[in-house]
Amino acid sequence: QFGRLGFDYNINNRNSITVSGNYVHGEFITRDNQQSVIKDSAANVLNNGHRLNDSKNKFENYTGQIQYRKTFPTAGKEITSDFNYNHSFGSSGYLNTTENSLLNSTTPSPYLSNYMLNTGSSLSNMYNFQFDFVNPINDYTKFETGVKSNYQHSSNNQDNSFKTFADADYKPDTSLTNHYSIDNLVTAAYVNYSSKIWGIGYQGGLRFESSYYKGTLANKNQTFSYQYPTGIDNLMNALFPAVYFSKKFSHNQEVQLNFSRKINRPNFYQLMPFVMMSDQQNIRIGNPKLSPEFTNLAELNYNIQWGKINYLTSFYGRYTESPITNVSYPQAPGSLILINTFQNGKNSYAYGWENTLKATFFKNLDVTANFNGFFTNISWNPTPTTTTSNSGYSYTSKLMLVYKFPKNISFQVNGNYEAPKIIPQGTTRPQYYMDATLSYNYKYKWMFNLLVSDVFNTKRVGTNYVTPYYTQEMSRRRESRYIRFSITYLFGKMDASIFKRAKQQKGDNSQMDMGGGF
């Protein structure tokens, strides 16, 4: 269930206050049935079995926002200030029942059952404050500045216990039990200036951003933290400059040259030291030791338009410090169970060429095609004293076709292909799928939409690991092919602007947007 309420109070024609809030509540229940066969190198079956996973999760979220906006007689000049508070709570529980066969056994039951029980809860409070000032000096010159601060405190508890076929009661599993809390504070100040000289548009900005993170595993007396900056040594990890140049030529041509530095912080699932998915051979778990990655990016773009045809080509290079990567290793020496997790690599670099073509044919057919070819090199440390790397070429391609029939009927097809990409210990598996949508708009009030997702049932993600200790091919999919039919009826007249923050409406001209990850 989802509900939202908001209102504007116009103090006068230059000052307004917006108050809004929303509430979300829900739960979902899932059941997975996994079959497994384990063989030795001679293809002899060592084990047959299956696992049944039953889970139930609930979540609840409250959000409140107060925004003040002041405009000036100069068009586009404004001050905005807003405060957001977010409170969320969740609970989860699942039971894994695993049955393994006893081959060539005289035991009356050919299968032995093991049970794993998990209960968890999460609580989070987030506070966010932002102040921005925009001053258009003239038609092509603009000055922007602002500050932003975000603080989050969250706690997550997960208690695991297990029981074998020989046990009467569940026993605690301390290796998978975690009581984890996070304190995360990010504060930033930015300045941005854009103008034009000799027909060349330029935009330059600098953001100073301090980062503090502390994670605590209370039940294991472990603490993980990072802070930027702590001094001159890592001052560059708090400075994020960006420079953009653009020049327009005759015949609807434009050239752009961009340089920027960005930060990408690990997300919730990458940090949490909890099991997120598992089968009998793999455990996927987060890594609380992760720190952010820092990317230096350069782009050269050329865009041209001939009538109803638009072509954009881009050459780019990217160098990343401490890249967040996927790694896998045995749970113990000689173990058949692999731990799949995340780790900060040493560095990585990539360069590539991306092309996008948009065109309209026969008045009714819109075509959008994209191709991106690139080279990637990743260096990482499998041990504190050794460094290894992996490199290779890859590409992605996308094609979208939209045909507009008479009487407001349209048909759309989206196709995607991703070739294997480099990861530290191997490559990803190729991913390819196609979606199809048929839409009908009746008098701009009723909208009917029929979607077939993953038409050929091919959408999967996976990895091919090759290490000195093991090789593994793994693939997963979130959902199979499905069909969805929806009907929408529009009534009344709604002004959605009261639900939009002014900064979001400004788009890419904001230095906050240029920073990435904040």
Side-chain angles (χ1 to χ4, degrees):
Q1 299 83 42
F2 173 84
R4 180 163 186 144
L5 178 66
F7 67 88
D8 277 346
Y9 173 60
N10 295 313
I11 302 172
N12 51 46
N13 64 334
R14 298 293 180 194
N15 297 269
S16 64
I17 295 176
T18 297
V19 179
S20 63
N22 65 272
Y23 169 75
V24 181
H25 173 83
E27 67 177 58
F28 53 94
I29 300 172
T30 62
R31 166 168 284 198
D32 302 328
N33 195 342
Q34 301 173 346
Q35 307 292 331
S36 66
V37 177
I38 300 176
K39 302 178 182 180
D40 62 16
S41 58
N44 298 311
V45 177
L46 302 177
N47 183 286
N48 280 317
H50 78 273
R51 170 176 288 183
L52 187 64
N53 303 323
D54 289 302
S55 66
K56 183 176 182 179
N57 300 269
K58 295 182 179 180
F59 56 91
E60 197 167 63
N61 178 269
Y62 306 86
T63 300
Q65 179 189 41
I66 299 177
Q67 181 188 79
Y68 167 73
R69 183 183 183 191
K70 178 179 178 61
T71 59
F72 297 85
T74 302
K77 183 178 181 180
E78 66 177 17
I79 292 174
T80 58
S81 176
D82 63 280
F83 173 77
N84 290 268
Y85 169 69
N86 181 282
H87 170 83
S88 61
F89 172 79
S91 63
S92 63
Y94 67 79
L95 174 64
N96 287 347
T97 303
T98 305
E99 291 186 341
N100 292 309
S101 64
L102 292 176
L103 300 181
N104 303 319
S105 172
T106 58
T107 304
S109 174
Y111 287 92
L112 297 180
S113 298
N114 298 302
Y115 306 90
M116 179 179 290
L117 180 65
N118 171 277
T119 57
S121 64
S122 63
L123 179 67
S124 175
N125 290 285
M126 183 182 297
Y127 308 85
N128 185 83
F129 171 77
Q130 183 167 347
F131 173 86
D132 300 287
F133 172 63
V134 181
N135 184 22
I137 299 173
N138 52 45
D139 291 341
Y140 50 83
T141 303
K142 181 187 295 184
F143 173 78
E144 300 172 271
T145 187
V147 295
K148 182 177 181 180
S149 183
N150 180 278
Y151 172 71
Q152 179 185 12
H153 174 78
S154 62
S155 60
N156 297 269
N157 298 322
Q158 188 176 76
D159 294 285
N160 280 70
S161 57
F162 67 94
K163 184 176 69 170
T164 70
F165 65 94
D167 297 322
D169 299 310
Y170 283 94
K171 300 177 181 179
D173 186 342
T174 57
S175 64
L176 295 179
T177 294
N178 292 291
H179 297 168
Y180 190 59
S181 63
I182 286 178
D183 287 285
N184 193 12
L185 174 64
V186 179
T187 303
Y190 76 94
V191 60
N192 191 51
Y193 183 83
S194 58
S195 188
K196 182 182 294 186
I197 184 172
W198 303 319
I200 300 175
Y202 65 90
Q203 178 174 312
L206 178 66
R207 190 178 77 256
F208 174 84
E209 183 173 313
S210 66
S211 307
Y212 172 76
Y213 167 85
K214 180 181 179 182
T216 303
L217 275 169
N219 63 312
K220 297 180 180 178
N221 295 319
Q222 297 180 15
T223 300
F224 312 93
S225 64
Y226 62 78
Q227 183 175 348
Y228 304 114
T230 57
I232 300 298
D233 293 340
N234 63 355
L235 182 62
M236 278 303 299
N237 289 337
L239 296 176
F240 301 94
V243 182
Y244 297 82
F245 300 96
S246 64
K247 171 68 174 178
K248 293 185 178 180
F249 298 90
S250 58
H251 307 294
N252 296 319
Q253 301 178 84
E254 183 176 2
V255 176
Q256 301 172 340
L257 180 63
N258 308 325
F259 303 93
S260 62
R261 177 176 170 84
K262 302 182 179 182
I263 183 173
N264 179 35
R265 294 182 178 82
N267 60 38
F268 173 85
Y269 296 101
Q270 292 171 330
L271 286 170
M272 290 297 103
F274 304 148
V275 174
M276 289 171 285
M277 61 177 68
S278 66
D279 54 44
Q280 294 196 59
Q281 299 303 116
N282 295 275
I283 295 176
R284 178 166 290 277
I285 191 170
N287 178 11
K289 298 180 182 180
L290 283 178
S291 59
E293 61 180 19
F294 301 90
T295 299
N296 303 279
L297 179 65
E299 294 179 336
L300 176 62
N301 306 319
Y302 170 73
N303 186 75
I304 186 171
Q305 184 166 350
W306 307 284
K308 295 183 179 181
I309 299 177
N310 184 277
Y311 173 64
L312 173 65
T313 184
S314 302
F315 296 92
Y316 61 89
R318 181 170 56 246
Y319 176 77
T320 303
E321 307 161 52
S322 303
I324 299 173
T325 58
N326 295 282
V327 295
S328 180
Y329 54 86
Q331 186 181 33
S335 174
L336 294 177
I337 299 177
L338 301 180
I339 304 296
N340 299 271
T341 186
F342 306 91
Q343 180 177 312
N344 285 108
K346 184 178 180 181
N347 57 61
S348 70
Y349 63 86
Y351 56 84
W353 182 28
E354 183 172 8
N355 299 271
T356 302
L357 177 68
K358 296 182 179 180
T360 299
F361 300 98
F362 316 118
K363 296 183 179 181
N364 295 325
L365 178 63
D366 294 331
V367 178
T368 302
N370 175 272
F371 177 85
N372 182 19
F374 52 91
F375 174 85
T376 303
N377 179 281
I378 300 176
S379 298
W380 67 296
N381 303 102
T383 68
T385 59
T386 60
T387 300
T388 186
S389 64
N390 192 16
S391 62
Y393 291 91
S394 183
Y395 67 92
T396 64
S397 59
K398 300 178 182 179
L399 179 64
M400 180 175 70
L401 305 175
V402 180
Y403 190 84
K404 300 175 183 178
F405 294 93
K407 298 182 179 180
N408 296 323
I409 298 175
S410 64
F411 179 69
Q412 177 175 318
V413 175
N414 295 311
N416 293 267
Y417 179 82
E418 295 184 10
K421 293 182 291 186
I422 292 297
I423 57 177
Q425 296 171 295
T427 62
T428 62
R429 292 174 61 90
Q431 181 180 180
Y432 47 92
Y433 61 92
M434 187 183 82
D435 301 331
T437 305
L438 181 65
S439 301
Y440 171 52
N441 190 326
Y442 179 68
K443 294 184 177 180
Y444 302 100
K445 287 291 186 180
W446 290 92
M447 291 186 294
F448 303 87
N449 186 277
L450 177 65
L451 167 68
V452 181
S453 174
D454 190 12
V455 175
F456 300 105
N457 207 26
T458 58
K459 189 174 183 179
R460 289 172 174 82
V461 297
T463 52
N464 292 327
Y465 287 115
V466 180
T467 77
Y469 311 103
Y470 65 89
T471 60
Q472 182 198 62
E473 296 183 7
M474 179 177 65
S475 67
R476 300 182 184 276
R477 62 179 180 183
R478 183 175 180 178
E479 57 195 5
S480 62
R481 173 180 50 200
Y482 67 85
I483 298 176
R484 182 179 67 212
F485 178 69
S486 61
I487 302 175
T488 303
Y489 176 68
L490 303 178
F491 62 92
K493 183 178 181 181
M494 178 180 176
D495 181 6
S497 63
I498 65 173
F499 298 126
K500 296 180 180 178
R501 299 173 56 225
K503 289 300 292 182
Q504 293 174 331
Q505 296 175 359
K506 290 163 52 183
D508 293 336
N509 289 329
S510 167
Q511 174 64 15
M512 282 296 184
D513 293 333
M514 293 195 300
F518 184 77

